[in-house]
Amino acid sequence: MIQIAYLLATGISELAPMNKPRILCLHGKFQSSSIFSNKIAGARRKLAREYDLHFLEGPIILTQNENESNACDGGDDADIPRGWWLRSDDGKHTMVKEAFEYVIQETANEKYDAILGFSQGGTLATALALSGKMNGVRAVVTAGAPYVREAFDVATGLYSESNDNVENKYLQIPKLHMAGENDALVAVDSTKKLCEEGGNGKFILHEQGHLFPTRSARVKEIMDFLQLSMSDSNC
């Protein structure tokens, strides 16, 4: 079941009416749905005026040593750090396909107009949109998200299951990718590659580090992008 972090963090008053466009929000690695919701509180409050935000919990519980991580067992501690997939000692990303399957299963009875993701969650958001398994998605917004080849490989495989030899139309979904010039964890060039490979991307470089921007000017750029994308009937 989808866990909506800001229900716990901010109360019912910020819940959006059902007729508002819905956005699926994917946290970064070593975060959780509630941690992500709280960290972007400034942006979240503004976004919630126009959109129904749903924060999904990652499937993997992370320990200090991520190689000891375990699949989520349904624990109730909303502050336990989680991830979407792992990375082995040789640099290979593992359990990536399982991450796709988890999100697809958890959202099977839902429909979203956009996906918003930070860091690892932003990579997943982009690749999910390309997989063709998130029907209705018209926009993607990411911050501090790297390019991960394995995620794109999974997306391509899922798309090919029902679209043999057909150019991926989901490359045309508008995507906004933000990177921090002082990000010490994700290289700017990696986010630029995510933007290029994801198709129809807009790249914004901000002056901060590894975070989802919450300053007014950046939130306005996000809001403007979403409004334009949602109004485009061809998406």
Side-chain angles (χ1 to χ4, degrees), residues 17-230:
M18 292 300 292
N19 62 337
K20 289 186 177 181
R22 308 178 76 212
I23 299 179
L24 177 64
C25 303
L26 306 179
H27 60 76
K29 190 175 182 180
F30 287 106
Q31 289 188 338
S32 67
S33 57
S34 64
I35 291 173
F36 183 39
S37 175
N38 290 333
K39 281 186 174 293
I40 67 167
R44 187 197 69 227
R45 284 190 287 269
K46 293 177 181 178
L47 286 165
R49 296 171 189 165
E50 304 293 334
Y51 303 101
D52 183 3
L53 306 177
H54 290 224
F55 289 77
L56 182 64
E57 202 79 84
I60 301 172
I61 294 177
L62 299 173
T63 61
Q64 287 297 103
N65 180 356
E66 68 177 46
N67 292 325
E68 299 174 0
S69 303
N70 296 304
C72 175
D73 61 1
D76 293 330
D77 192 339
D79 291 330
I80 293 177
R82 298 170 183 263
W84 301 100
W85 58 74
L86 303 177
R87 190 171 186 177
S88 61
D89 291 338
D90 62 3
K92 181 179 179 181
H93 297 269
T94 62
M95 298 182 71
V96 179
K97 186 174 183 180
E98 290 83 350
F100 280 72
E101 293 171 346
Y102 170 80
V103 176
I104 293 168
Q105 179 180 347
E106 290 294 306
T107 62
N109 297 318
E110 308 290 339
K111 184 176 181 180
Y112 296 98
D113 299 277
I115 312 176
L116 178 152
F118 170 62
S119 196
Q120 190 182 75
T123 305
L124 180 57
T126 305
L128 275 167
L130 296 179
S131 74
K133 301 299 184 180
M134 302 293 290
N135 292 328
V137 169
R138 295 179 282 164
V140 174
V141 176
T142 80
Y147 171 78
V148 174
R149 179 186 57 79
E150 291 90 340
F152 275 70
D153 288 346
V154 172
T156 299
L158 290 173
Y159 180 80
S160 298
E161 288 179 357
S162 54
N163 298 276
D164 291 341
N165 300 319
V166 177
E167 183 179 1
N168 193 334
K169 64 181 180 180
Y170 299 104
L171 287 166
Q172 298 306 313
I173 294 175
K175 304 171 188 74
L176 174 65
H177 302 282
M178 297 174 288
E181 60 183 357
N182 294 310
D183 192 330
L185 296 178
V186 174
V188 171
D189 285 345
S190 186
T191 302
K192 284 184 177 179
K193 186 171 184 180
L194 178 70
C195 182
E196 294 166 359
E197 297 293 330
N200 198 15
K202 177 180 180 181
F203 178 81
I204 292 179
L205 182 66
H206 60 78
E207 67 281 5
Q208 296 179 278
H210 190 64
L211 50 73
F212 192 97
T214 59
R215 293 178 178 175
S216 296
R218 296 305 179 193
V219 176
K220 184 179 186 302
E221 289 178 320
I222 296 170
M223 297 288 286
D224 289 346
F225 170 80
L226 287 171
Q227 182 179 26
L228 180 62
S229 300
M230 299 295 184

Side-chain angles (χ1 to χ4, degrees), residues 3-23:
Q3 302 183 41
I4 307 173
Y6 70 83
L7 261 174
L8 303 175
T10 63
I12 288 178
S13 61
E14 285 192 358
L15 278 175
M18 292 300 292
N19 62 337
K20 289 186 177 181
R22 308 178 76 212
I23 299 179

